[in-house]
Amino acid sequence: MRLFAYIAASCLVLSGAAEAQLSGAGDDPEDIARDLETADTSPDGADADPWEGFNRKMFAINDGFDQHLMIPAAKAYRTVTHKKQRKGIRNFLANLRTPVILVNDLLQGEFSRAGDTMGRFVINSTIGFGGMGDPAERLGIEQHSEDFGQTLAVWGVDSGPYLVLPFFGPSTLRDGFGAGVDLTADPAFWVRTDPATYFRFSRAGANIVSAREPLIEPLADIRTDSLDFYASIRSFYLQSRKREISNGRTNYEDLPDIGEFEEFDDLE
C-alpha cells in the first residue's frame, strides 16, 4: 500500500490536480471500457469543436503525460494488486463520492435516484466493509453517477465548445465549470487540516491510477485502429456525456460500430 500511495501522490502532484478527481469520477472505469468497445468513435463532432487547434495541442501534451507516466503507473498498480483488490478500491472510492452524487440527484429532481444513492451508501458502508464491497448491487440497487455538469444540462444550460483541459482531458465549458462546483459539495473540501490535505491528495491520486488501469487495453486499441486518435476520443466523450445526462436513456441503435475489441474480462 505504501508503494501505491507514493505512485498516487506523485501522479497527483505532477498533474497539478491538487483537489480534483479525473474524468467523471464515480463512473466505474470497467463500464467506460465496455462503452469503448461498442461506441462510435469515428472522427465526427468537429462542429462542437471551434477551438480544435488549441485542443489538439493540449491533447498532445496530455497524451505524452499519459504515455510516459500514467500508463507505467497503471501497469505497476496492476502488477502489485489482484483484480479483486482493484475492484474493492474502485468501490471504496465511488462510495466516498456519495455526497456529490446525492446533491446532484436532488438538484435534478431525481428523488428516486437520490434514495438509491443513500441506500447504496448505508448498505455498502456497513455490511460492505466501508465501501470495499458492493452488496447494494447484489440487492438490485445499481450504481450511478451524477455531477454538476449533468445538472446544468438538465437545467437547460448549453454545453458550450468542446475543451481539452490540461491533464484532465476531454471536457466542455459547462462540464469544466461543473467539475469546479462539485469540489465544494465534497465535505473533505472544507476541512483544512494536514490529515485532510493528505487525504485529498491520496484520494485524488488513487482515483487517477484506479481509473486508468482498466482502460489500458481499450484505449490502446482505439489508438491503433483509429485514423485520428484525437477525434475518436472527442467523439466518444461527447456521446458518453449525452448518455450520462439522459441517465442512460440515449438510443445508440442507429450508430455504426467501430469494430470488435478483445474481451475486457481477460485483462489478467
Side-chain angles (χ1 to χ4, degrees), residues 96-198:
L96 289 178
R97 197 169 178 271
T98 296
V100 174
I101 298 173
L102 178 62
V103 167
N104 284 291
D105 280 335
L106 295 173
L107 289 175
Q108 294 175 31
E110 295 277 3
F111 302 114
S112 176
R113 284 163 68 89
D116 289 345
T117 299
M118 278 302 303
R120 284 184 54 82
F121 181 75
V122 172
I123 293 170
N124 290 345
S125 297
T126 52
I127 63 175
F129 303 101
M132 296 292 287
D134 193 0
E137 181 86 23
R138 294 192 292 274
L139 292 173
I141 309 177
E142 295 184 359
Q143 179 182 358
H144 69 272
S145 175
E146 296 291 346
D147 57 62
F148 196 65
Q150 292 171 252
T151 298
L152 289 174
V154 170
W155 290 354
V157 177
D158 187 74
S159 69
Y162 179 72
L163 177 64
V164 179
L165 297 172
F167 303 109
F168 289 89
S171 186
T172 62
L173 280 181
R174 181 186 62 205
D175 292 343
F177 174 79
V181 173
D182 282 332
L183 289 177
T184 66
D186 188 338
F189 175 81
W190 300 101
V191 182
R192 298 296 169 176
T193 63
D194 288 342
T197 299
Y198 178 78

Side-chain angles (χ1 to χ4, degrees), residues 11-55:
C11 292
L12 179 62
V13 171
L14 288 172
S15 71
E19 294 178 358
Q21 299 171 17
L22 189 65
S23 72
D27 294 335
D28 191 324
E30 288 190 351
D31 292 337
I32 296 174
R34 294 187 185 98
D35 289 345
L36 285 168
E37 295 178 359
T38 57
D40 173 26
T41 54
S42 57
D44 58 7
D47 56 337
D49 192 4
W51 301 335
E52 184 171 350
F54 168 83
N55 286 336

